[in-house]
Amino acid sequence: MPVDTMETTRAELMERGWAALPPEYRMPAETPTLAEARAYCRRLTESHYENFHVASWFLPKRLRPHFHSIYAYCRISDDLGDEVGNAEQSLALLDLWGEQLDACYRGEARHPVFVALAETVRACEIPKEPFADLLVAFRQDQTVTRFRTMEEIHGYCRYSANPVGRLVLYTCGYRDEERFALSDYTCTALQLANFWQDVAVDYKKGRIYLPQDDMERYGVTEAMIAAGEATPEFRELLRYEVGYAHKLFGKGEPLTGMVDAELALDLDLFTRGGLEILRAIEAQGYDVLRARPSIPRSRKLLLLLSALSAKLLGRSA
């Protein structure tokens, strides 16, 4: 195929992809100032992620713009992969996003996310790898919809979840492998908790994150998931997977004692939130097919108060 035809096809794919997304995601006609870019990232973060308001209370004020830019990058990256509805269009947009990430590290950012992110990268000395790794996962989502083993799931989480925790640590000034490894346990556990919560939701998108080896061992078939009925076999499978996620949360728990108080509280909140998802699954008898387990707002407030009380008591001890 001639190069110009290939470029035309790519341009058409991107245009169709952008049309499926919020208009503000598009590349701007002019490069924004840093102040404009940071305001963009703050608006995107606060409009998409209600829990950020709570979490950000305990972050040093000087770091909030950096977390806004990281969240905005992650949010749009995820939407490019998951909200377009067409694999070819998503892949074209993800390729463009990867090119913009490269440009960001060359000092040639154009999109407001990357203008803001460039300052975060400079101030916090963050390497490109964790940002690029996320795009690997979002590209994989377009072509891989089944996983044979839990090891394959861990391989996916290495790109889809673990980079987020590492970005948080980099931003807060931590960059050692011991803390990274503990963060990976927690991030993978959070990813698994979301997978087990969303079995029915993901199946409607054509994806199953339950390892096929585990499904076969417990006698669970795709037909059972499609029927939306939690058979005894399915419940036993979910009981096992929830228990596995619990163990990962336990492995990552020491990290909260190895970071400063503000970050420790945030880590504690997210861990408690993940564990609460697992408890919600348990409370439904491991039936996540008829109704998606969720955490009531009142329970979220109790989690916040519990985490805050634990931190205050720890300080006064």
Side-chain angles (χ1 to χ4, degrees):
M1 179 182 293
V3 174
D4 58 345
T5 303
M6 292 176 60
E7 286 301 315
T8 300
T9 301
R10 181 172 184 256
E12 290 175 349
L13 287 171
M14 288 191 294
E15 179 56 34
R16 292 170 186 165
W18 286 130
L21 296 167
E24 61 267 25
Y25 282 14
R26 288 176 177 264
M27 296 295 296
E30 297 181 2
T31 303
T33 65
L34 177 60
E36 291 169 338
R38 282 183 162 178
Y40 174 99
C41 292
R42 185 180 66 252
R43 287 194 303 271
L44 183 66
T45 301
E46 294 178 350
S47 64
H48 280 70
Y49 185 22
E50 63 178 13
N51 292 334
F52 191 88
H53 297 290
V54 174
S56 64
W57 292 347
F58 308 104
L59 292 171
K61 189 173 182 180
R62 63 183 174 80
L63 294 181
R64 291 178 194 172
H66 300 317
F67 281 105
H68 289 152
S69 66
I70 290 171
Y71 179 81
Y73 172 83
C74 294
R75 174 73 274 153
I76 294 183
S77 298
D78 190 17
D79 286 352
L80 294 181
D82 217 33
E83 299 298 325
V84 173
N86 178 281
E88 284 188 308
Q89 294 168 20
S90 285
L91 287 170
L93 289 177
L94 288 167
D95 285 345
L96 173 66
W97 208 238
E99 291 165 5
Q100 289 301 305
L101 177 62
D102 292 339
C104 173
Y105 273 82
R106 294 195 304 267
E108 302 170 2
R110 279 187 53 213
H111 194 282
V113 166
F114 292 105
V115 172
L117 197 64
E119 178 58 21
T120 293
V121 165
R122 184 201 64 77
C124 303
E125 299 181 349
I126 304 177
K128 185 167 64 174
E129 181 181 10
F131 294 111
D133 282 348
L134 287 168
L135 298 184
V136 172
F138 299 138
R139 290 189 183 101
Q140 183 177 335
D141 283 338
Q142 309 310 309
T143 57
V144 178
T145 59
R146 302 292 187 276
F147 297 84
R148 169 53 57 183
T149 65
M150 182 57 77
E151 287 71 25
E152 289 186 7
I153 296 286
H154 274 275
Y156 175 79
C157 292
R158 177 252 186 272
Y159 294 102
S160 69
N162 299 355
V164 177
R166 293 181 177 226
L167 287 169
V168 169
L169 288 174
Y170 274 122
T171 304
C172 293
Y174 302 104
R175 52 189 65 242
D176 60 280
E177 289 302 322
E178 183 180 9
R179 288 182 177 86
F180 284 162
L182 293 172
S183 172
D184 289 349
Y185 284 129
T186 298
C187 290
T188 295
L190 283 167
Q191 180 81 86
L192 294 182
N194 286 321
F195 283 162
W196 310 157
Q197 178 187 34
D198 288 334
V199 172
V201 174
D202 289 330
Y203 184 75
K204 290 178 181 178
K205 297 178 181 178
R207 301 171 187 161
I208 295 179
Y209 292 102
L210 292 163
Q212 290 182 308
D213 281 357
D214 291 349
M215 289 175 62
E216 291 169 5
R217 185 164 67 253
Y218 282 90
V220 174
T221 65
E222 290 196 20
M224 292 178 182
I225 297 174
E229 295 185 7
T231 63
E233 295 86 355
F234 180 86
R235 292 172 191 263
E236 284 304 307
L237 170 61
L238 258 290
R239 183 192 302 274
Y240 170 78
E241 303 297 5
V242 165
Y244 183 84
H246 267 294
K247 292 177 183 177
L248 289 182
F249 276 120
K251 288 184 176 182
E253 188 175 359
L255 181 60
T256 58
M258 299 169 63
V259 297
D260 60 49
E262 292 86 359
L263 179 56
L265 181 53
D266 277 330
L267 294 177
D268 190 31
L269 278 171
F270 285 112
T271 296
R272 288 170 186 262
L275 289 171
E276 196 64 23
I277 291 173
L278 297 182
R279 292 190 188 100
I281 294 172
E282 293 167 346
Q284 288 186 192
Y286 303 97
D287 182 357
V288 296
L289 298 180
R290 295 188 184 183
R292 180 180 185 269
S294 60
I295 306 173
R297 287 181 180 272
S298 58
R299 184 60 184 165
K300 291 180 181 179
L301 178 59
L302 287 175
L303 289 173
L304 169 62
L305 294 175
S306 176
L308 182 57
S309 298
K311 186 54 57 182
L312 292 174
L313 288 173
R315 284 178 179 174
S316 60

